[in-house]
Amino acid sequence: MDLENELRQAMAEHVTEMSAPRTLAADAKRRHHRTVRRRTAFAVGAAGVVAAVAMIPAYQSFRPQTVGADGPGGQKHRQQPTGTLPVSPAPTTPSLSSSPSAGSNGAHSSGKSKRSASPQGSGSAAVRALLGYRPPGIDPAKTCQTAHTGAKETTTCRWAGSGGWVEVRLVRDSGLKVPSDLGLAPPMSEQVRLHDHSALRSVGPAITSQVMWIQRHGLGVWVGVSPSLNSSLIRVAESVSVS
């Protein structure tokens, strides 16, 4: 115990003359502040690095992709199927004639037909160019149109008025040999002679008054009239002039 007390006394005597410098407190404060700033800067830097790392996936997901680029965007564009627009069907031109067509006479023609209408003729000269006899009440002006069905060409001319209507069809086809080849023969008909040719005339009250014949090889003629002109059918047909 005496040795311990002697050591304490010796140490106290040794440090009695020693004193702390006056700037010790200021130096301690400066060191403390410097340490705090370093720790703050380190914490801010670490937070920035963490935020940058977290933004990388989001940037990749929002980055636009080109059509040819690899990845989900590019693959989506490459996988899109291509298609074609449907083609709308072309409208058909309605017939200017109200008389029965070839289909209503018991025959159907195949293929699409192209029609072209010509302006109306005027004056008796235009009528006599095709029709030599015009029943009373029939206007001299005519309306003509031409239709093509394959190799067949059909020109239809029509006259109308208060007395009814008259229609003449000229059919051009290299395969025409007999009247039935026209494809316009009615279900019920009888054999007659017109222009020194064998002809077919419709029979029956419910059938349009009509007659047809082959003028020459490859050219057929069809003549029809309204019911009011039934009695004038043969006279009208005999007046038809075909060049």
Side-chain angles (χ1 to χ4, degrees):
M1 294 299 294
D2 295 336
L3 178 60
E4 183 178 354
N5 290 332
E6 289 179 0
L7 288 174
R8 287 181 179 178
Q9 185 177 0
M11 290 176 64
E13 290 177 355
H14 180 73
V15 299
T16 299
E17 296 180 357
M18 298 179 65
S19 60
R22 297 180 179 180
T23 61
L24 179 61
D27 293 340
K29 290 182 179 180
R30 282 196 302 271
R31 291 178 181 176
H32 175 71
H33 290 317
R34 186 164 55 248
T35 301
V36 172
R37 286 196 298 268
R38 288 178 179 175
R39 291 178 178 177
T40 303
F42 177 78
V44 172
V49 172
V50 172
V53 173
M55 286 295 293
I56 291 176
Y59 170 75
Q60 292 291 341
S61 62
F62 285 104
R63 185 178 61 180
Q65 297 287 342
T66 60
V67 174
D70 294 332
Q75 294 176 358
K76 182 178 181 181
H77 284 283
R78 288 196 299 267
Q79 294 174 358
Q80 288 181 351
T82 58
T84 59
L85 297 177
V87 179
S88 301
T92 57
T93 304
S95 172
L96 299 178
S97 173
S98 60
S99 63
S101 62
S104 63
N105 289 329
H108 298 272
S109 59
S110 61
K112 297 183 179 179
S113 62
K114 299 181 180 179
R115 299 176 181 269
S116 59
S118 63
Q120 293 183 351
S122 59
S124 60
V127 175
R128 292 193 181 95
L130 182 64
L131 192 63
Y133 168 72
R134 178 168 43 88
I138 300 299
D139 196 299
K142 70 176 182 294
T143 300
C144 295
Q145 65 180 9
T146 300
H148 294 84
T149 304
K152 180 185 292 186
E153 178 186 276
T154 303
T155 300
T156 303
C157 292
R158 182 181 177 85
W159 296 259
S162 59
W165 55 264
V166 176
E167 187 170 291
V168 177
R169 302 182 187 180
L170 302 180
V171 182
R172 294 177 174 85
D173 189 351
S174 59
L176 298 179
K177 297 179 180 179
V178 295
S180 59
D181 292 339
L182 293 173
L184 302 173
M188 299 178 61
S189 60
E190 63 180 2
Q191 292 282 345
V192 296
R193 296 291 294 182
L194 275 173
H195 297 279
D196 199 25
H197 299 291
S198 176
L200 290 178
R201 180 180 180 178
S202 61
V203 177
I207 301 175
T208 300
S209 298
Q210 56 188 291
V211 63
M212 64 204 71
W213 68 95
I214 301 298
Q215 182 70 21
R216 61 177 179 268
H217 179 73
L219 176 62
V221 183
W222 180 96
V223 179
V225 298
S226 60
S228 60
L229 298 176
N230 185 29
S231 60
S232 302
L233 173 63
I234 298 300
R235 184 176 178 182
V236 170
E238 289 177 342
S239 73
V240 172
S241 175
V242 181
S243 58

